[in-house]
Amino acid sequence: MHDKREEELGQIRIERPFYEHKQLREDFQYEKPKRPNAAREWKENLRIKKVFIGFFPILDWLGKYNWKKDLFYDIISGITVAIMHIPQGMAYAMLGNVAPVVGIYMAFFPVLIYLFFGTSRHNSLGTFSVACLMTGKAVIQHSDPAYFDSSGNSSDTEPTGYSPIQVATAVTFVVAIVHFIMFVLRLGIVSALLSETLVSGFTTGAAIQVLVSQIKDLLGLSIPRFKGYFVNVYTLVAVFEEIGNVNVAALIISFVTITISALNNDYLKPIIAKRSPFPFPMELVAVVVGTLVSKYCNLSEQYGVNVVGYIAVGLPSPAPPPFALLSDVIVDGITIAIVSYTITLSMALIFAQKLDYEVDANQEAFAMSLSNFFGSFFSCMPVCTSLSRSLIQQVVGGVTQLASVVSCLLLLVVLLWIGPFFEQLPKAVLASVIVVALKGMLRQVLEFWKFWKLSKMDAVVWMGTFLTVAFVSIDIGLLCGICLSLASIFILSFRPYTCLLGQVKDTDFYLDVKRYKSAKEIDGIKIFHYSGGINFATKTIFKDDLIRLVGINPQKEVVYRAKLAKYLEMAEETKPPTKTLNKLERVQNKVNTDLRCLVLDFSSVSYIDPSGVTMLKSTIESFTKLDIPVYIASCKEPVYEMLTKCDPEYCSKAGFRSFPSVHDAVHYSTELFRSSSKSSITTVRL
């Protein structure tokens, strides 16, 4: 029965008259779509309920929350994420060149704001290595050097300029402003500028930046902090110059911490994952054990190991960022805003697709704007979604952002009472935690070969972004990556796919004759397929490819035919010279008499501008002078409207003959050939 049904489907035929585009519009009542009424749409969007739920997504999912079923999983998820926040927050705060406790602040204040305004139910906001490193660059650039000694620790010299946390909060405030502008202007689509290739190269290069920045703490070296471009290069040179002064105790601590953490990630964690949904908190264990060993062995005084130092107890007092500094950090703020928003939105979309709920890109920008704005008054750096924490929050069973409430409550206990416990924590332990966390990002180097195999252009974008980020600067690297991505799009637009189409026998399929052996060209008809836009920049490419594939240059063909007529007239003489006969033969070989009709398949033409229309008109007229009619097929409505709009008078005289499909154009041409063979004057009814 099934085979019979397939046989019947294979024999279905659709019979209809062939149409020209004008006739199609008349017969099927074409009407140009009206633009939406902006006032009515705005009024619709301003409905109180819609606005309230739109600005406070928590009201949407909280009303559907299953307190008996979901609360337990959110509590477990919140506890797990809070345990991850402590070591990661302290470690990544070091990347920002601010006090370790700032990382805990970032996991508390902004997260509470995101709870109410964010649309993702699984994003774990807080510290992220790339965002913190980019902020740290601005901190070093604009804070008073007196706040740091040569080793990067707090200095005893009385500073007079901006403190590191003031610079960090100024950057956070700028990031909040940029996110708010993105929300107002509905620029959530700006994240599309950061392709998968660019993000991979950027994050891999940033991982190299992070790794190099931690070498001094891993080895216990005292080297200056560098500003500007090529910081990694200068840092590596300084490390090699000071390599003889390595602190052996710090090196041992780093080696032990990295080794145990790596073994845990590669061997112990998979085993535990099979038996328990809760990951083993190796990072927290390393931090606690490192603190205890440092405290009771007095590593700081006896062996000169750098430790975290003073940690403030309680919550920070609200204070506005230094507004006079905003203009100086605006470039850093814009760069961090784009990167943090892209990473946050990408993670939100991944979880939304996986768990079947919706995420609003513009509302995410608004949520991040408020989170950073609030955080800038409470000693926070710009926040970003962490890939690892978000994944853990979802895998452990977290259902909604109520898990963040549980996490914040536990972190509040740390801020109020437990914080001073970590004052003797060696910086080498935190540096080791960062390095182990970079493994996944560093392994992205292997993705270069994947991009190389898929597209050489993507590989160039990846490598250019990676090298610039890793060795020049993060912000310059991001700009370089965006420019390379846009350049690749621009270059690819100059390489449109063009081919000649042939018909598959007894079907209305028209396929590339070079790719499909069953597709054969129709005698006397050339079907030229063009994929891309036809504009002022690509019009020459369109014309050159058309002439190359069709095999006729109308300008030269006119000259050849004129010469042929001249030599034929001379050949009619009695006994024409041999020289004339030779010229006649050569010109006859150049003249193309096989082509009787040219069909332009516009099914993949996305856009045409006035320059393209002018070129097309000129091309059609040049072929028409050779008695070769040119028909346009499968033209999109916006393209057809542009053709008729640019030259209405020409179109009214049937200048652009357009058909809704290639088959219609071919059918019309063959009927025309058949009729013209019977009579010199024939009317073909559409």
Side-chain angles (χ1 to χ4, degrees):
M1 184 68 180
H2 182 69
D3 294 338
K4 185 178 180 181
R5 177 63 176 163
E6 286 187 348
E7 185 178 350
E8 290 175 355
L9 289 173
Q11 295 177 353
I12 289 177
R13 289 186 178 181
I14 300 175
E15 295 185 359
R16 62 168 177 80
F18 54 89
Y19 284 95
E20 193 171 355
H21 212 117
K22 292 179 181 178
Q23 193 67 40
L24 184 78
R25 286 186 162 196
E26 292 178 8
D27 289 358
F28 297 104
Q29 301 175 344
Y30 172 79
E31 182 180 349
K32 189 175 181 180
K34 296 179 180 179
R35 292 182 178 180
N37 189 315
R40 186 183 305 167
E41 190 174 306
W42 181 253
K43 185 177 180 180
E44 177 71 18
N45 290 334
L46 281 180
R47 289 185 177 179
I48 295 177
K49 183 178 179 181
K50 190 171 183 179
V51 169
F52 212 66
I53 293 179
F55 277 104
F56 296 92
I58 187 175
L59 299 177
D60 183 33
W61 56 261
L62 193 60
K64 307 170 187 176
Y65 191 76
N66 189 330
W67 294 93
K68 293 182 179 179
K69 179 182 177 182
D70 298 338
L71 184 59
F72 172 76
Y73 292 104
D74 276 338
I75 291 174
I76 298 300
S77 176
I79 293 172
T80 307
V81 171
I83 291 173
M84 295 182 67
H85 265 303
I86 296 170
Q88 285 190 4
M90 298 177 69
Y92 292 155
M94 288 175 54
L95 291 176
N97 297 308
V98 293
V101 73
V102 171
I104 310 297
Y105 296 157
M106 293 169 64
F108 182 77
F109 295 104
V111 172
L112 289 177
I113 301 300
Y114 186 83
L115 166 70
F116 293 96
F117 297 98
T119 56
S120 174
R121 303 175 192 176
H122 298 87
N123 273 358
S124 177
L125 226 61
T127 55
F128 183 62
S129 57
V130 176
C132 291
L133 180 69
M134 296 171 74
T135 306
K137 170 184 168 292
V139 169
I140 288 294
Q141 190 78 25
H142 300 286
S143 59
D144 192 326
Y147 281 97
F148 305 102
D149 59 21
S150 61
S151 64
N153 295 318
S154 297
S155 173
D156 296 330
T157 308
E158 187 66 28
T160 57
Y162 294 112
S163 67
I165 195 60
Q166 284 181 312
V167 177
T169 54
V171 173
T172 306
F173 190 83
V174 171
V175 170
I177 294 174
V178 174
H179 283 155
F180 185 74
I181 293 173
M182 291 172 63
F183 164 71
V184 172
L185 299 180
R186 319 295 285 178
L187 294 179
I189 194 65
V190 74
S191 61
L193 290 175
L194 305 186
S195 63
E196 178 189 356
T197 309
L198 188 153
V199 171
S200 175
F202 177 81
T203 52
T204 309
I208 298 295
Q209 285 264 8
V210 174
L211 179 64
V212 173
S213 70
Q214 297 308 298
I215 291 178
K216 65 181 184 61
D217 287 324
L218 291 173
L219 303 179
L221 296 175
S222 296
I223 60 175
R225 292 177 182 252
F226 300 98
K227 300 180 181 180
Y229 304 134
F230 304 102
V231 170
N232 272 2
V233 177
Y234 296 138
T235 301
L236 289 174
V237 170
V239 167
F240 282 113
E241 289 176 350
E242 294 289 327
I243 200 69
N245 299 322
V246 170
N247 187 302
V248 178
L251 180 61
I252 294 173
I253 292 171
S254 301
F255 177 78
V256 172
T257 306
I258 291 175
T259 301
I260 295 177
S261 297
L263 291 174
N264 170 71
N265 291 341
D266 293 338
Y267 300 103
L268 184 60
K269 186 178 289 186
I271 296 174
I272 295 177
K274 294 179 181 179
R275 293 172 171 78
S276 172
F278 311 115
F280 182 69
M282 177 56 71
E283 292 86 357
L284 183 61
V285 171
V287 168
V288 172
V289 172
T291 303
L292 292 173
V293 171
S294 175
K295 182 177 181 179
Y296 291 106
C297 294
N298 202 11
L299 297 181
S300 176
E301 294 183 5
Q302 290 193 13
Y303 300 98
V305 175
N306 291 329
V307 295
V308 167
Y310 173 73
I311 295 179
V313 179
L315 301 177
S317 301
F323 297 111
L325 187 60
L326 299 185
S327 60
D328 295 331
V329 298
I330 190 168
V331 174
D332 299 282
I334 292 173
T335 308
I336 296 171
I338 294 174
V339 172
S340 61
Y341 174 76
T342 302
I343 294 172
T344 299
L345 181 61
S346 299
M347 291 300 297
L349 291 173
I350 290 172
F351 289 122
Q353 183 178 6
K354 182 178 180 180
L355 301 170
D356 194 24
Y357 64 88
E358 293 185 1
V359 168
D360 187 333
N362 288 298
Q363 179 64 22
E364 283 295 300
F366 181 67
M368 292 192 68
S369 173
L370 290 183
S371 298
N372 282 304
F373 177 81
F374 193 73
S376 68
F377 286 83
F378 287 91
S379 302
C380 291
M381 292 188 293
V383 290
C384 180
T385 294
S386 165
L387 282 63
S388 59
R389 289 196 309 270
S390 299
L391 187 62
I392 290 297
Q393 182 168 322
Q394 186 268 322
V395 169
V396 170
V399 181
T400 67
Q401 285 293 339
L402 283 183
S404 299
V405 177
V406 178
S407 174
C408 288
L409 290 176
L410 289 178
L411 293 175
L412 181 62
V413 174
V414 174
L415 290 171
L416 294 179
W417 295 288
I418 303 178
F421 168 77
F422 298 106
E423 290 180 353
Q424 292 299 313
L425 173 64
K427 287 188 175 182
V429 173
L430 293 179
S432 301
V433 170
I434 292 173
V435 169
V436 173
L438 290 175
K439 179 183 177 182
M441 294 173 67
L442 291 172
R443 289 182 65 181
Q444 290 180 154
V445 171
L446 301 176
E447 292 188 0
F448 171 75
W449 303 111
K450 179 189 77 173
F451 292 121
W452 179 263
K453 293 177 182 178
L454 295 175
S455 168
K456 302 297 186 291
M457 191 67 69
D458 280 349
V460 170
V461 173
W462 191 98
M463 185 57 70
T465 306
F466 167 75
L467 292 176
T468 314
V469 171
F471 297 105
V472 182
S473 168
I474 287 185
D475 49 355
I476 297 297
L478 180 62
L479 179 61
C480 176
I482 292 175
C483 290
L484 286 174
S485 295
L486 295 177
S488 67
I489 295 173
F490 188 70
I491 292 171
L492 289 174
S493 68
F494 277 83
R495 295 169 55 190
Y497 170 56
T498 57
C499 65
L500 290 179
L501 302 183
Q503 184 181 25
V504 178
K505 188 177 180 181
D506 298 328
T507 72
D508 60 349
F509 291 148
Y510 294 85
L511 306 174
D512 187 344
V513 292
K514 288 188 176 181
R515 296 173 184 265
Y516 293 88
K517 295 181 179 179
S518 298
K520 305 297 181 182
E521 290 191 62
I522 303 170
D523 292 339
I525 301 176
K526 292 284 186 180
I527 307 170
F528 175 72
H529 175 84
Y530 181 91
S531 180
I534 305 175
N535 50 52
F536 68 94
T538 59
K539 63 180 183 179
T540 303
I541 297 174
F542 176 91
K543 190 172 182 178
D544 291 346
D545 281 7
L546 174 65
I547 291 172
R548 176 176 56 83
L549 291 173
V550 172
I552 294 181
N553 187 326
Q555 283 75 25
K556 292 182 179 180
E557 189 75 13
V558 170
V559 176
Y560 294 151
R561 292 191 180 190
K563 287 183 178 180
L564 179 62
K566 176 183 176 182
Y567 293 140
L568 284 173
E569 184 179 348
M570 295 173 63
E572 291 177 356
E573 301 176 3
T574 306
K575 294 182 180 181
T578 305
K579 186 177 180 181
T580 300
L581 292 176
N582 292 337
K583 289 182 178 179
L584 174 61
E585 185 179 357
R586 286 198 300 269
V587 172
Q588 281 180 328
N589 292 333
K590 292 181 179 179
V591 173
N592 189 312
T593 57
D594 297 331
L595 183 61
R596 302 177 63 188
C597 178
L598 175 61
V599 177
L600 305 178
D601 178 18
F602 273 22
S603 59
S604 297
V605 174
S606 56
Y607 172 76
I608 187 168
D609 70 354
S611 298
V613 174
T614 303
M615 178 276 302
L616 188 62
K617 175 184 173 182
S618 173
T619 303
I620 291 175
E621 289 178 343
S622 63
F623 276 97
T624 305
K625 289 178 182 178
L626 302 174
D627 295 325
I628 301 174
V630 180
Y631 303 137
I632 299 172
S634 303
C635 187
K636 301 286 193 303
E637 289 296 340
V639 175
Y640 183 75
E641 287 169 4
M642 181 61 74
L643 293 176
T644 56
K645 189 189 301 181
C646 285
D647 203 333
E649 184 179 350
Y650 181 72
C651 290
S652 64
K653 298 177 182 178
F656 293 118
R657 299 293 299 274
S658 179
F659 295 85
S661 72
V662 173
H663 196 58
D664 284 276
V666 171
H667 192 34
Y668 177 84
S669 301
T670 52
E671 288 292 327
L672 193 62
F673 297 161
R674 190 177 296 114
S675 300
S676 62
S677 64
K678 296 178 181 179
S679 172
S680 58
I681 302 176
T682 307
T683 302
V684 179
R685 298 183 63 187
L686 292 176

